[in-house]
Amino acid sequence: MRPSEVQRLTVGETVDRYAEMVRAKSSTGALAPGTAEVYARDVHTFAELAGPVRVLDDLDGADVEEVLLRFARKPDGRRSRPVPSGPGPAQSASSQARFRRSVSAFFQYAVVAGWVQLNPMQAVTLRPKVRGGLRPERRALTTEQAEGLLGAAQELVVREPRGQGRADQRTGLRDGLIVLLLAAVGPRVSELTSADVEHFFVNAGTRYWRIFGKGGRTRDVPLPHPVALVLDAYLGEGRPALDRGREPKALLLSWRGRRLARGDVQAVIDRVLARVDPERRRSVTPHGLRHTTATHLLAAATDMDAVRRVLGHADLSTLGRYRDELPGELEAAMRVHPLLGSVAPPEAPS
């Protein structure tokens, strides 16, 4: 229920309260820590661009549009190379869309909290123009490219020297498992790096992975049999023996016994890609392998809700953003049209 009177608080005051609220949600498991930090960072940027001493309820749709435009032109500090000066945007379309979502969530909360009478986002029509969507590395691999990557991962697993050589040279099982899990199950990279050994269990003869996802939600995903075999081999022979006090629970470890980080996962993918035939090789990120999982499961006519549950999406509308176009899929669909199976071709003239 909304408060009966609007509190005339400044932008800076409301942003601080909102950031405190989302961080409290992350501590209770209602929000993933990374998501909470993104929200907090974006609303503080909003305050900086809108003016922290202005009263929040005085902002209208035009004021918010001006903030969105200023953010679009704001240099992206994450880039290693400076963006050329000019009238074009410095922020990518995806960054602009993320910032807009954060600001929208902030104003939805502000309405309920009694900081504004009306949500100014309802009057905002400015939207970032997406040029080409995601960059290629974040989109799904084709069937040929995916088979090349998985083949290279399987080759690493088969050729892994068992108990021979230096420990830092025996990473084939781990690297192969990482690629197989990413391509077959499609977890977020944070879900993969935070996985512990105890999160994997057997039920009625099937190996499951209990994935702890965004917003404190969990899902139990059955592993395909080939992936389960590699997991068992890694746990039995490939996972480093640990000294006391070293990450005893983490599934994926460096040869020194430390939990792998997000950047380590990309390095593993790149090493496996280097073994793929150049004609079937294409750079891909962990997010691109998540797209690969969704795209190929859906292309195989897998039930959409089952795919949603595998990926850990809250609703089916989110799943649509992970479905990428595959070459030849329209032609293949029309060749097996469900309405034309009983239509006989015309007879050849005698």
Side-chain angles (χ1 to χ4, degrees):
M1 181 179 297
R2 291 179 56 183
S4 58
E5 295 184 4
V6 171
Q7 305 175 57
R8 290 187 59 77
L9 301 175
T10 67
V11 174
E13 289 172 326
T14 56
V15 159
D16 287 342
R17 294 186 185 188
Y18 180 77
E20 184 178 349
M21 182 274 297
V22 296
R23 287 179 175 132
K25 278 192 171 185
S26 76
S27 65
T28 61
L31 272 180
T35 303
E37 284 307 312
V38 168
Y39 282 159
R41 183 187 68 212
D42 281 345
V43 294
H44 278 113
T45 300
F46 173 81
E48 173 191 334
L49 297 175
V53 297
R54 298 181 66 182
V55 174
L56 184 68
D57 191 47
D58 290 344
L59 300 182
D60 57 19
D63 294 319
V64 177
E65 284 196 341
E66 177 61 27
V67 170
L68 295 178
L69 281 171
R70 293 179 67 186
F71 176 80
R73 300 183 183 121
K74 188 175 184 290
D76 189 343
R78 299 172 301 172
R79 299 182 182 180
S80 57
R81 296 180 181 178
V83 178
S85 59
Q91 298 284 338
S92 67
S94 61
S95 293
Q96 294 178 55
R98 186 213 69 237
F99 181 74
R100 180 192 173 94
R101 289 193 298 270
S102 296
V103 173
S104 180
F106 165 66
F107 274 111
Q108 288 174 15
Y109 183 83
V111 170
V112 176
W115 300 338
V116 294
Q117 297 182 59
L118 297 174
N119 186 346
M121 293 298 295
Q122 296 175 352
V124 173
T125 59
L126 185 68
R127 295 183 182 274
K129 183 176 181 181
V130 178
R131 301 181 181 275
L134 295 172
R135 67 180 191 269
E137 295 85 353
R138 289 172 61 83
R139 298 186 71 85
L141 298 175
T142 66
T143 300
E144 187 177 30
Q145 293 164 346
E147 288 176 347
L149 179 63
L150 292 176
Q154 185 64 30
E155 183 182 353
L156 268 178
V157 170
V158 171
R159 295 188 178 184
E160 169 81 333
R162 303 295 197 263
Q164 302 173 9
R166 290 167 43 187
D168 58 339
Q169 295 175 341
R170 297 198 304 269
T171 60
L173 274 170
R174 184 203 65 189
D175 293 356
L177 176 63
I178 287 173
V179 170
L180 288 170
L181 286 173
L182 286 170
V185 182
R188 301 174 179 89
V189 66
S190 58
E191 295 169 344
L192 180 67
T193 55
S194 64
D196 292 340
V197 173
E198 62 188 23
H199 297 164
F200 295 83
F201 62 95
V202 177
N203 184 22
T206 300
R207 174 72 88 160
Y208 284 82
W209 177 10
R210 177 160 294 166
I211 301 176
F212 291 80
K214 296 175 66 174
R217 295 186 294 268
T218 63
R219 62 191 188 276
D220 293 344
V221 180
L223 298 182
H225 186 61
V227 180
L229 291 177
V230 175
L231 171 67
D232 290 339
Y234 170 70
L235 292 176
E237 307 173 42
R239 189 168 176 270
L242 300 178
D243 298 331
R244 184 175 301 176
R246 291 275 191 88
E247 298 287 355
K249 297 180 180 180
L251 173 72
L252 300 174
L253 299 164
S254 70
W255 69 276
R256 293 182 181 274
R258 295 187 176 90
R259 187 186 292 270
L260 293 191
R262 300 168 67 100
D264 299 324
V265 174
Q266 183 64 62
V268 167
I269 296 172
D270 293 341
R271 283 199 300 271
V272 178
L273 276 171
R275 305 173 69 93
V276 180
D277 186 300
E279 294 185 357
R280 306 171 73 188
R281 182 192 308 157
R282 199 210 76 190
S283 296
V284 67
T285 65
H287 189 76
L289 291 178
R290 185 165 162 82
H291 272 248
T292 300
T293 303
T295 297
H296 287 275
L297 285 177
L298 291 171
T302 307
D303 178 71
M304 288 184 67
D305 192 60
V307 180
R308 176 193 67 79
R309 289 159 58 197
V310 167
L311 295 185
H313 289 150
D315 53 65
L316 285 173
S317 62
T318 307
L319 181 60
R321 299 202 297 265
Y322 286 75
R323 172 70 165 95
D324 295 332
E325 183 179 342
L326 293 173
E329 63 179 347
L330 292 182
E331 293 79 2
M334 298 308 288
R335 281 197 296 269
V336 293
H337 199 296
L339 299 179
L340 301 179
S342 60
V343 177
E347 297 182 0
S350 57

